[in-house]
Amino acid sequence: MSTGTDPLAPLAQLPGVPDAVAEVRKAVDRLYGHRVMRRRAAEVTSESALRGARASAALAGADWPLEEVRRRSDFSADAEARTVGAALRIAAEAGQLLSVWRHSPLQVLARLHLLAVGDADPAAGRPRRAGEASEELFPLELKPVEGVEADAVAGPPPVLPPAPDAEEVGARLDQLSRLLVARAEGQGVGTPALVVASVVHGELLALRPFGSHNGLIARAAQRIVLIAEGLDPKSICPAEVGLAELGTEAYRRALAGYLAGTPEGMAAWIAHCGRALRLGVRESTAVCEAMQRGMV
């Protein structure tokens, strides 16, 4: 498959998307060039995973302070604790699943769900079956952080459509998997990583393939794609942090654009993901600066 026949290639040319791609690339390159990365990259990766997991859990309804997440060792006390624990387990293993992802993305998604719910759950690691419901994607409203430019919003939050039925979920997951495997084999490699990661993220949120933890899994999958596509090979850019900073209202509105499938909606979703990724870069840059000053 050449880049001309890559089904994602047209998305990269939508209005505003080339600029979003360029801005992300510039921000990521600047972070990778930080002097701290030459000797403490593994520490930055570890801190990025922790902060990304905390933010992803917050978006799923468990908005804990970072130091509380860092301090705790027992994540079984209640529903919020279990959500934070699930996010941490997913973040800890996501970067180790790259080789499997390249030839079997669905196997990785199943593994992420198993990590989230534990093997005692009979539904662990398998997509929803006919008649099984999925959970609410946005159980908590996070207000945008002061000083962070969110997407312009007006009017009430959009009502998101229900998740597709099990048959459609299976078909679309298979299609997504085949597209990703083809890219791993060197087909359609011209499409920018931001676009591919945004599509994977949006598609998993749209499908909600599992009975629970779909948001955590979609955001982890986005991170894996950014590693696999070479944009963030050391996994130091926690886009989840940016999504939380922008707030769930902006997240929901951007996702509604993806679900609508219009050129404008798709471009807005990719731009939102790009903005979140740049904020994640800013977070890790602050970590690097703290390390350089001897504060970490």
Side-chain angles (χ1 to χ4, degrees):
M1 184 189 302
S2 68
T3 57
T5 59
D6 181 354
L8 300 185
L11 299 179
Q13 303 306 318
L14 292 173
V17 172
D19 289 341
V21 168
E23 289 168 2
V24 162
R25 179 78 265 178
K26 181 178 179 181
V28 172
D29 286 348
R30 187 182 301 117
L31 173 58
Y32 271 79
H34 197 287
R35 61 186 302 176
V36 166
M37 289 297 297
R38 292 198 294 270
R39 50 193 171 84
R40 301 182 69 179
E43 294 174 68
V44 180
T45 295
S46 178
E47 188 66 16
S48 171
L50 178 69
R51 293 177 182 231
R54 188 221 70 85
S56 194
L59 290 162
D63 189 12
W64 287 16
L66 178 63
E67 291 312 313
E68 176 69 7
V69 177
R70 198 189 302 277
R71 179 187 67 82
R72 289 280 287 269
S73 58
D74 180 10
F75 296 96
S76 62
D78 53 38
E80 283 199 6
R82 289 191 291 274
T83 296
V84 175
L88 288 169
R89 290 190 298 274
I90 287 173
E93 192 162 323
Q96 304 171 29
L97 298 171
L98 185 59
S99 61
V100 181
W101 178 266
R102 294 186 189 281
H103 64 81
S104 183
L106 300 187
Q107 185 177 339
V108 171
L109 296 178
R111 174 62 182 168
L112 295 177
H113 189 248
L114 177 62
L115 288 169
V117 303
D119 54 13
D121 188 326
R126 67 161 177 80
R128 290 183 288 113
R129 293 172 179 164
E132 292 181 341
S134 183
E135 92 278 38
E136 169 63 40
L137 281 177
F138 299 103
L140 177 69
E141 180 56 36
L142 292 176
K143 301 300 181 184
V145 174
E146 185 176 353
V148 175
E149 181 182 355
D151 296 327
V153 296
V159 176
L160 300 179
D165 61 29
E167 183 177 359
E168 182 178 346
V169 167
R172 286 171 63 175
L173 280 178
D174 182 66
Q175 183 179 30
L176 181 65
S177 177
R178 284 188 280 109
L179 184 149
L180 292 170
V181 170
R183 292 188 62 79
E185 294 173 348
Q187 303 173 36
V189 294
T191 301
L194 173 64
V195 174
V196 182
S198 299
V199 168
V200 171
H201 182 184
E203 189 68 2
L204 291 174
L205 289 179
L207 296 179
R208 282 161 270 173
F210 301 101
S212 64
H213 299 92
N214 289 292
L216 297 182
I217 292 167
R219 291 183 285 274
Q222 174 182 252
R223 181 172 280 227
I224 293 171
V225 172
L226 292 173
I227 300 170
E229 295 282 329
L231 179 62
D232 183 20
K234 295 185 185 297
S235 192
I236 59 172
C237 306
E240 306 94 330
V241 170
L243 291 168
E245 288 191 15
L246 292 169
T248 53
E249 182 177 350
Y251 195 11
R252 184 187 187 106
R253 289 181 184 276
L255 177 59
Y258 178 88
L259 296 175
T262 62
E264 296 79 9
M266 296 296 291
W269 169 249
I270 295 168
H272 185 79
C273 291
R275 190 173 298 111
L277 186 55
R278 296 200 312 274
L279 289 170
V281 167
R282 188 180 73 174
E283 181 85 356
S284 287
T285 300
V287 169
C288 288
E289 293 294 328
M291 288 181 175
Q292 186 169 294
R293 293 192 301 270
M295 297 173 62
V296 176

